[in-house]
């Protein structure tokens, strides 16, 4: 579980990297990012806040692999659901195959160490316990600036939502240089209220950066 904890730490406080975020947004009072679950309303409303240049949303959770003999791999690993334009792709170097594209469904990009642990290469299939009838094709293998992501998998946002049963667990925000005060954007995000989920409250904070 150590590597899983490191992935969660990255989602909460991303390490310095070219793909920096000015703010990371999670569900307030959730014990861990994994416990977050809120609607896309917050993402779309954040995009409308003056000075917000880019928003990258995602869903993250733990999954198990079903092996070819029908047994379940006892060791869970982290899966992340991203949109193709997620700016955290800038942390990744694809070493084999390709990254995910807009049209992709039931495709997976594996971190280098996870690919080794699962003994998977480009073109192989991964079967998730959460969806045993639908194998996922490995389209790429990657290394990350963050070591922990080498032990995780990336799928499309829609696939991530299906595999985890969650909507959005968090998102990252970039503020346009010289156009807005980060603290003002933070306050605007935290003031958002989803009319369909009035109990949901968000927390926005600045991650560590160079």
């Amino acid at each position: 579980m150590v590597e899983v904890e490191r992935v969660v730490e990255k989602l909460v406080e991303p390490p310095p990297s070219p793909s920096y975020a000015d703010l990371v947004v999670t569900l307030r009072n959730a014990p861990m990012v994994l416990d977050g679950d809120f609607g896309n309303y917050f993402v779309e409303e954040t995009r409308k806040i003056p000075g917000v240049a880019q928003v990258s949303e995602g869903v993250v959770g733990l999954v198990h692999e079903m092996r070819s003999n029908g047994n379940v791999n006892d060791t869970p690993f982290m899966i992340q659901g991203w949109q193709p334009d997620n700016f955290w792709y800038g942390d990744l170097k694809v070493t084999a195959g390709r990254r995910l594209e807009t049209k992709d469904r039931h495709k997976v990009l594996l971190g280098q160490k996870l690919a080794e642990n699962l003994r998977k290469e480009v073109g192989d299939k991964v079967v998730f316990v959460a969806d045993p009838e639908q194998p996922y094709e490995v389209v790429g293998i990657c290394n990350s600036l963050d070591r922990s992501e080498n032990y995780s998998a990336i799928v499309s946002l829609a696939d991530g939502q299906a595999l985890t049963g969650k909507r959005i667990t968090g998102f990252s925000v970039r503020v346009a240089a010289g156009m807005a005060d980060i603290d003002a954007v933070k306050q605007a995000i935290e003031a958002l209220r989803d009319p369909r989920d009035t109990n949901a409250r968000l927390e926005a904070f600045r991650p560590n950066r160079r």
Side-chain angles (χ1 to χ4, degrees), residues 1-11 13-15 77-80 91-92 110-114 117 142-153:
M1 294 294 290
V2 173
E3 293 303 334
V4 169
E5 292 170 359
R6 287 175 178 164
V7 173
V8 172
E9 288 172 1
K10 195 257 181 172
L11 289 168
E13 266 191 45
F77 57 89
M78 188 72 71
I79 194 160
Q80 300 185 64
D91 278 0
L92 308 180
L110 298 179
Q112 184 72 50
K113 293 299 182 181
L114 179 60
N117 290 344
C142 64
N143 277 319
S144 173
L145 295 174
D146 175 15
R147 179 175 175 273
S148 61
E149 282 196 336
N150 292 321
Y151 290 85
S152 66

Side-chain angles (χ1 to χ4, degrees), residues 19-26 38-58 81-89 157 168 170-176 185 189 192 202:
S19 302
Y20 72 87
D22 290 304
L23 292 168
V24 173
V25 184
T26 60
F38 53 86
N40 198 55
Y41 172 90
F42 291 108
V43 176
E44 295 306 318
E45 290 302 305
T46 296
R47 289 193 168 104
K48 299 175 185 178
I49 294 173
V52 169
Q54 192 172 3
V55 179
S56 288
E57 69 271 37
W82 288 359
Q83 298 281 29
D85 62 352
N86 192 304
F87 57 69
W88 290 114
Y89 269 115
L157 180 60
I168 301 292
F171 58 91
S172 300
V173 177
R174 282 178 173 172
V175 173
V185 173
I189 292 172
L192 292 173
L202 301 185

Side-chain angles (χ1 to χ4, degrees), residues 2-210:
V2 173
E3 293 303 334
V4 169
E5 292 170 359
R6 287 175 178 164
V7 173
V8 172
E9 288 172 1
K10 195 257 181 172
L11 289 168
V12 176
E13 266 191 45
S17 74
S19 302
Y20 72 87
D22 290 304
L23 292 168
V24 173
V25 184
T26 60
L27 189 67
R28 185 182 296 275
N29 297 327
M32 298 179 66
V33 175
L34 291 171
D35 300 313
D37 181 18
F38 53 86
N40 198 55
Y41 172 90
F42 291 108
V43 176
E44 295 306 318
E45 290 302 305
T46 296
R47 289 193 168 104
K48 299 175 185 178
I49 294 173
V52 169
Q54 192 172 3
V55 179
S56 288
E57 69 271 37
V59 61
V60 61
L62 294 177
V63 294
H64 285 84
E65 177 209 15
M66 181 173 288
R67 293 171 171 156
S68 58
N69 61 7
N71 293 332
V72 175
N73 188 338
D74 291 335
T75 304
F77 57 89
M78 188 72 71
I79 194 160
Q80 300 185 64
W82 288 359
Q83 298 281 29
D85 62 352
N86 192 304
F87 57 69
W88 290 114
Y89 269 115
D91 278 0
L92 308 180
K93 178 181 180 182
V94 176
T95 58
R98 61 173 177 82
R99 55 176 276 182
L100 296 175
E101 300 173 352
T102 303
K103 67 180 186 300
D104 284 337
R105 289 297 306 271
H106 307 121
K107 311 290 186 183
V108 60
L109 176 65
L110 298 179
Q112 184 72 50
K113 293 299 182 181
L114 179 60
E116 293 173 4
N117 290 344
L118 299 180
R119 299 181 180 179
K120 300 295 183 181
E121 299 179 351
V122 173
D124 289 343
K125 300 295 178 64
V126 178
V127 178
F128 297 104
V129 172
D131 189 8
E133 302 301 319
Q134 180 60 67
Y136 279 60
E137 179 187 359
V138 179
V139 296
I141 296 172
C142 64
N143 277 319
S144 173
L145 295 174
D146 175 15
R147 179 175 175 273
S148 61
E149 282 196 336
N150 292 321
Y151 290 85
S152 66
I154 299 171
V155 295
S156 71
L157 180 60
D159 285 336
Q161 291 169 330
L163 291 171
T164 64
K166 295 179 181 294
R167 296 166 293 173
I168 301 292
T169 54
F171 58 91
S172 300
V173 177
R174 282 178 173 172
V175 173
M179 291 184 61
D181 178 80
I182 295 175
D183 288 333
V185 173
K186 165 183 164 65
Q187 292 172 12
I189 292 172
E190 293 181 342
L192 292 173
R193 298 292 182 266
D194 185 345
R196 293 162 296 184
D197 187 3
T198 56
N199 291 323
R201 299 289 186 273
L202 301 185
E203 179 178 9
F205 55 91
R206 299 193 190 200
N208 291 333
R209 288 177 54 184
R210 281 194 180 116

